[in-house]
Amino acid sequence: MDSLCICYNLVDHNNLPGIPPLPEAYIVPVTNERLGYVEKQATPATLKSFEIPYLDTAHEQLLEICSSLKTAVLEQQFRPAKKRKTFGLVDILKDPKIKDVVINYVNNKLSDFYELVIKNEYSVIHNAQRKDPFEVHRLSIGKSILNPILEFTKTDEGIDYAFSLKDEEKVIIPQNHSIQILLNEPSWIVVDKSIHHINNLNANKLKPFFSKEKITIAKKHIKTYLDKVIIPVIKNVDVIANGFEIVIHKNIASYKLEIIQDFIKGNYVAKVIFNYGEASFDYNSNKKTSSDVHFGDNEEIQITQIKRDPKAEKEIIDLLESKDLKVNANLLLETKTSDDPLAIFNWVQNHHKDLEKEGVEIILPDLDNKSVNLDSHEIEIKNKKKMTGSMSKE
């Protein structure tokens, strides 16, 4: 045994409808970079006894999330008053209103969990049993975010449509891979034992394509299907249309600067938002296109697609950088020279009139529930002398 690590086991709860896999934390030995058999459940007490540091690391928050998502804890938190302890989570989830609250709570916790565990590349396994070496159930960490692609094909019978996932230059056809959904929204899935995040898509939309490559919509059902299934997601995904005319827009109409707080660094920065007319894109967003579909006069489907123009966006960013701003690692703008966390406000005050003349909208936050005033100001201090006899005091 070379060392010990904290390992997170994602456990399916098939008896709990709507509840995604919940994480449990364990202490596991590592030999030649391979996970061995579990030693103990990872708790503050056991970690201390094994002399495994976790305080002031992401593990501390992850352990708190694991603890809050134990079924016994969820039962205690969401069990209605006057119900006995035997009224378990299965019973609680039978009430649709309570079920929605529970699932929202669990999803919010899991969203933080996956962000932290993926960012720190901690060991993750799926449905491991104590009798098994955990390496057998280990998941790798996908390095890229998957972008969904919705493909329409016009046929004599109606429309065929399919979802695929783009991993950089590689296209993943769900039917050809082993895929498990870890979290619906935000979407986290396992593709061939590798964890990935999906941009702008509820993972449940992929389920029909686990067993088939495409779905055929008969002509008489097209409008209903588009309204209920396609239109809610089409604005946020890339679209390929075969046999349809696509109208493409690619011009920036205007842009905004929104001043926001970077909660990690503690300073205020500027987020650039590009307006392309019917759609807007944050400069720091991975989203590249926005699509829409509607029916023409003869019930013909018309697809409109707005595509970002990286060259035009870069020209605007270069212009802002020439005004003493710089782009940070998160593609947000901050001042070049000052370490003052509020320096961006001074920059806005100095440049807002010129920017507004150019048609740039500036969105300011409230600070301590008070609005920010960009008007020029000065502080004038006057010293008054009070005469007492022949002596004066300032």
Side-chain angles (χ1 to χ4, degrees), residues 18 20 102-112 183-186:
V102 174
I103 290 177
N104 285 337
Y105 173 83
V106 169
N107 286 353
N108 287 335
K109 290 286 186 181
L110 287 175
S111 177
D112 293 338
L183 188 61
N184 291 330
E185 200 167 9

Side-chain angles (χ1 to χ4, degrees), residues 113 168 198 224 248 265 294 356 358:
F113 172 85
E168 295 180 342
I198 306 176
T224 300
I248 296 177
K265 295 177 65 176
H294 58 276
E356 288 168 355
E358 296 169 8

Side-chain angles (χ1 to χ4, degrees), residues 379-392:
I379 300 174
E380 184 177 345
I381 301 175
K382 294 182 179 179
N383 291 330
K384 293 183 178 180
K385 294 183 179 182
K386 183 177 179 181
M387 303 300 295
T388 305
S390 61
M391 302 293 292
S392 67

Side-chain angles (χ1 to χ4, degrees), residues 19 28 39 42 65 97 107 133 144 159 181 184 188 208 221 223 228 244 279 293 308 352-353 359 382 386:
I19 298 297
V28 180
E39 293 280 344
I65 293 172
K97 293 182 180 178
N107 286 353
S144 58
I159 294 175
I181 296 174
N184 291 330
W188 289 93
H221 298 308
K223 192 173 190 310
K228 292 184 177 180
F244 298 98
V293 59
R308 294 175 66 174
H352 77 98
K353 290 184 178 179
K382 294 182 179 179
K386 183 177 179 181

